Amino acid sequence: MEKKILKICFILGSICLTGCGNRGVSDEKVSETINGMEETEAIDGLEKNYDDELFISFREGDRWGCMTLDGEVAIEPEYEMPLYFSEGLALFCEKGKFGYINKYNQIVVEPQYDDAKEFREGYAGVCIKKKVADQELEKWGFIDKNGELIFETECEEIGEGFSEGLANVCIGGKWGYIDTEGEFVLKPEYDRAAEFQNEAALVTKGNKQRFIRRENFSILMENHDPDIELKSYFEGVAYAECIVERYDDGMSSVTYAHINEDGERIINCDVAEEFSEGLAAVKINGLWGYINTNGELVIEPQYEKAGSFSEGLAVAAFQDENYLIDMDGTIVFQTKSYDLTLGDDGYAFTTNRVGAGAIVAEDLKDGGHYYVLDRNGTVLLDVSDVNGSGVWIGADSLETGERFVYGTKVDENTGDAWAEELACIDRDGNVIWERKD
């Protein structure tokens, strides 16, 4: 069964209202800065409050807009690209230039940049192309939510923006890190440098890979083995791709393992998955179980397939039984009727996965027939009329999942699904609203 990852623009977050132009709304906004973060006090002339509203990006023809989970169009489809809101602002493009709008369709930053990133930690990277001696050069800087240029750099490339207070940037073909004042805290000396996550970042120089600490940039772990490629880091353990065998045609077979700071595997296994919520699935002698970061088996190998944990639950299977299990390995429910999918494993995307009450099940007797189940395995919705190409699920209540939105229209080339056809349905399957392009 082919599984496609479906991506739909589904946005949650508070908004910081500042700035400039207006599109279809009025008037003044009163805001103040508290500890460097803007907080909206009032928005004159606006009847709706979208600050904490969940938005869905939808397309009409070749233009994009946003709607709420009530089916109300909040931003008319007038934009050239999908609107991804990050920290209350979304990138938009007009005549090849990028700017930012807020959830009230007000222009906060006029379209003036040749390239731009989403806002992260209060700042966004923006690029202006300049001609120097008949050469077109890219120079990046960072703006705040007022659209003010905080600092310019000589960097020709940047990562996605700030993470844990630092941004990875490239100058002269080498990568380093800058702080929010534009000062290098780690000079550009690396061939590659990833952003900091979980207080660690992966950097590469020549054939050496290192995980470095956020606190003082000291080395957490170093790899010189050409047959090992470090991927990610979690609580003292690195997830790595390991070459098992090289072939004459230049190809190789690989497996994946967890390595501690001494360069040793924390457990001998056939293959491993990344850690999620403190546990990682590992395959030993053909069966899957779960380990903790000490390499101890928490759930003994007993499954033919095992997914990642999401909010304390994971899907697993053995022979013709499919299970939903908790982090102790206790079976929440089991079924022979459905192939279960949870979270980002394939067909289902939820606002907080199982917490929204959504588990997608494919009928094993009728392939292409899909249902949404609750934690007890009870069918909530029949979502089979979605072209047989996949399901996207969202919920407006993170606690109860009282309403579900699903959409289709899969791009066969990219696997993306955009919300051209949408329906909002309650737990009893009653259609609250639907929209078709």
Side-chain angles (χ1 to χ4, degrees):
M1 177 182 67
E2 181 183 0
K3 291 192 175 183
K4 296 179 179 178
I5 298 298
L6 307 183
K7 292 181 284 186
I8 289 185
C9 188
F10 191 72
I11 307 110
L12 168 66
S14 60
I15 187 168
C16 297
L17 300 176
T18 58
C20 315
N22 229 337
R23 293 189 178 217
V25 290
S26 60
D27 281 319
E28 295 182 356
K29 303 166 292 300
V30 180
S31 63
E32 62 179 351
T33 299
I34 302 176
N35 296 327
M37 297 299 292
E38 292 177 356
E39 183 175 289
T40 301
E41 287 186 344
I43 307 172
D44 295 335
L46 295 180
E47 297 180 357
K48 297 289 184 178
N49 184 343
Y50 295 131
D51 286 12
D52 298 317
E53 187 71 58
L54 291 153
F55 271 13
I56 304 168
S57 188
F58 71 94
R59 182 169 63 187
E60 285 188 359
D62 61 352
R63 294 287 165 169
W64 292 85
C66 282
M67 62 193 302
T68 69
L69 276 178
D70 293 325
E72 174 192 356
V73 174
I75 298 177
E76 293 291 338
E78 58 182 288
Y79 292 97
E80 299 176 8
M81 57 188 283
L83 301 172
Y84 294 91
F85 279 86
S86 176
E87 300 186 5
L89 300 177
L91 267 174
F92 75 97
C93 184
E94 189 172 278
K95 297 180 180 179
K97 298 292 184 180
F98 290 90
Y100 297 84
I101 61 168
N102 61 30
K103 286 188 176 178
Y104 300 90
N105 204 18
Q106 296 167 317
I107 298 176
V108 175
V109 180
E110 294 287 345
Q112 57 190 288
Y113 300 108
D114 295 293
D115 198 357
K117 305 286 187 176
E118 295 178 1
F119 272 91
R120 294 177 60 172
E121 299 187 2
Y123 303 98
V126 294
C127 175
I128 297 178
K129 295 179 181 178
K130 298 179 180 179
K131 279 193 175 181
V132 179
D134 296 328
Q135 285 187 323
E136 190 174 65
L137 302 177
E138 292 187 351
K139 297 297 181 183
W140 286 83
F142 284 84
I143 61 173
D144 63 15
K145 291 184 179 179
N146 295 310
E148 296 291 334
L149 184 65
I150 303 303
F151 58 84
E152 291 184 86
T153 75
E154 294 299 314
C155 302
E156 67 265 16
E157 191 176 353
I158 67 171
E160 293 306 310
F162 281 95
S163 177
E164 300 185 9
L166 300 179
N168 50 331
V169 299
C170 180
I171 183 169
K174 296 295 183 181
W175 288 82
Y177 296 90
I178 59 173
D179 60 20
T180 55
E181 295 181 355
E183 299 294 331
F184 274 100
V185 295
L186 197 58
K187 65 181 182 179
E189 58 178 303
Y190 299 104
D191 299 322
R192 287 181 294 171
E195 67 181 35
F196 278 91
Q197 293 182 335
N198 300 316
E199 297 293 319
L202 180 62
V203 295
T204 304
K205 183 189 290 188
N207 62 355
K208 295 180 182 179
Q209 284 186 300
R210 291 175 177 172
F211 278 110
I212 56 175
R213 288 184 176 87
R214 168 63 181 88
E215 183 179 5
N216 55 15
F217 312 118
S218 58
I219 298 172
L220 283 165
M221 183 182 300
E222 191 166 43
N223 172 46
H224 302 268
D225 190 337
D227 288 341
I228 295 177
E229 182 179 355
L230 303 180
K231 295 291 187 181
S232 61
Y233 183 88
F234 178 75
E235 294 185 1
V237 178
Y239 185 64
E241 180 181 283
C242 308
I243 294 178
V244 177
E245 186 177 358
R246 296 182 184 273
Y247 304 110
D248 294 338
D249 60 2
M251 303 294 288
S252 60
S253 61
V254 301
T255 189
Y256 294 86
H258 294 287
I259 300 173
N260 63 22
E261 294 179 358
D262 294 324
E264 301 170 341
R265 296 194 184 198
I266 64 173
I267 190 170
N268 290 320
C269 60
D270 306 330
V271 65
E273 298 292 341
E274 289 191 76
F275 276 96
S276 176
E277 300 186 0
L279 297 183
V282 294
K283 191 175 186 180
I284 300 175
N285 296 326
L287 293 176
W288 289 88
Y290 293 87
I291 61 169
N292 59 24
T293 54
N294 294 321
E296 301 164 337
L297 280 166
V298 176
I299 301 174
E300 291 292 328
Q302 57 191 289
Y303 305 110
E304 292 176 337
K305 75 172 186 179
S308 298
F309 275 93
S310 173
E311 297 198 356
L313 297 177
V315 294
F318 181 75
Q319 295 181 353
D320 59 351
E321 291 284 353
N322 290 271
Y323 307 97
L324 186 71
I325 61 174
D326 65 18
M327 299 184 77
D328 295 323
T330 302
I331 297 173
V332 179
F333 75 81
Q334 65 189 83
T335 176
K336 292 183 178 181
S337 302
Y338 305 116
D339 182 25
L340 304 177
T341 303
L342 174 66
D344 292 354
D345 287 345
Y347 287 100
F349 274 68
T350 71
T351 52
N352 75 338
R353 304 176 186 173
V354 177
I359 302 162
V360 172
E362 181 183 11
D363 194 325
L364 293 173
K365 295 180 180 179
D366 183 8
H369 210 96
Y370 298 94
Y371 302 92
V372 177
L373 312 181
D374 64 13
R375 289 174 180 247
N376 298 315
T378 304
V379 174
L380 299 178
L381 304 173
D382 182 339
V383 289
S384 302
D385 58 342
V386 289
N387 301 340
S389 54
V391 180
W392 170 81
I393 305 295
D396 68 331
S397 171
L398 303 185
E399 297 297 329
T400 62
E402 293 176 352
R403 291 184 295 172
F404 298 87
V405 177
Y406 66 89
T408 59
K409 287 287 190 184
V410 175
D411 186 319
E412 296 296 334
N413 295 318
T414 65
D416 293 353
W418 298 111
E420 292 179 338
E421 294 184 2
L422 291 168
C424 185
I425 299 176
D426 64 20
R427 281 182 173 270
D428 297 322
N430 300 312
V431 177
I432 299 171
W433 58 261
E434 59 184 341
R435 180 186 185 91
K436 293 187 178 181
D437 188 16

